[in-house]
Amino acid sequence: MVKLANALTTLGLQALVAYALPEACSGVCNNSHDPSIIRRNDGTYFRFSTGGKIAIHTAPSLTGPWAYQGAALPSGSSINLAGNQDLWAPDISLVGDQYYLYYSVSTFGVQDSAIGVARSSSLDAGTWTDLGSTGVVSSAGAAYNAIDGNLINEPGTSNYFLTFGSFWNGIHRVRVTPTQTHGSVYQVAFDPSDTAMEGPTVFKNGDYYYLFFSKGSCCGYDANRPAAGKEYRIMVCRSSAATGPFADKNGKSCQSGGGTLVLGSHDWVYGPGGQGVYQDPTNGPVLYYHYVDTRIGYADGQKKFGWNKIDFSSGWPVV
Ligand SMILES: *[C@@H]1O[C@H](CO)[C@@H](O)[C@H](O)[C@H]1NC(C)=O
């Protein structure tokens, strides 16, 4: 069945591939654009999302019930750029005994952007201290757009990488401390024939680092729906080294258009993306994302939180 699905994917017949439906969700399942998830030691799941100065929701399990708790940064960001009251694309990590929340300051379609970071020891609303810019910044003409940061630690080392970007020249990478850059930026994924790729997530499983990213048109589907197949979808590449190079299932370099489809539109799910991957203590590795439920509506505010367990048994993620 997996082989058949792969063959169909290769033929571009994605609609025929059977994806699992999103797992159940109760409580507030919208207000979840670009979700980032972490489970605290007491068993409470925290979900951070774009909008509302980084909205925080909590739940006793991934299925909910999700309840709104407040904004992570109610005063916006101290970064002096347009967009500092409209923060995007949160990414949550635990480093030592502190939680770090990366966020983007930008405006839609503009390259004047920065990735900022805030810190808390508890994750709760009202406990976040904004530390401002990480030093990952861009302006018009830069080789990338400084948005959509994702932190990963190379296990067993003190090496931290922020993978980010971009919609401009693909996905990039820089070493961080983790609050400041510490090295130079390099590209890890790019498709010269379709540069609409962003929102990377790096996840280590077994021998490989998996680079997930969202490809296609993310937003505003109620006003302007892209051609079929050009809407958001979740792709993956992998590498045996934290620093890359990354290639897809066919061995094609992800710096020259490679990328294997993990989850596209199916059934009543449309435009899944803004994904994250989490090693959940209860469910094992999970892929989570936002998506349009076509039975509800295509507006950004109507997008819902979805997640699925990942089967890595083939060496590639299957949901
Ligand atoms: C989000 O979901 C809540 C129910 O949890 C609903 O009342 C609200 O209208 C929804 N918002 C949008 C924009 O669909």
Side-chain angles (χ1 to χ4, degrees), residues 91-95 100 102 148-164 172-179 186 188 200-212 239-244 246 277 279:
D91 179 71
I92 185 74
S93 286
L94 178 63
V95 178
Y100 290 88
Y102 297 85
D148 294 357
N150 167 252
L151 188 75
I152 188 180
N153 170 235
E154 187 176 358
T157 73
S158 56
N159 296 337
Y160 287 88
F161 298 93
L162 200 65
T163 311
F164 67 93
H172 289 71
R173 198 65 164 317
V174 67
R175 254 183 92 167
V176 289
T177 59
T179 55
Y186 55 97
V188 287
T201 312
V202 179
F203 183 74
K204 176 100 194 294
N205 189 80
D207 294 337
Y208 293 100
Y209 291 85
Y210 293 86
L211 169 63
F212 294 79
S239 174
S240 52
T243 49
F246 292 88
V277 182
Q279 183 65 47

Side-chain angles (χ1 to χ4, degrees), residues 26-31 66 296 299-304:
S26 67
V28 185
C29 298
N30 53 19
N31 199 7
W66 291 98
I296 295 174
D300 288 332
Q302 295 174 312
K303 285 179 186 165
K304 288 182 64 178

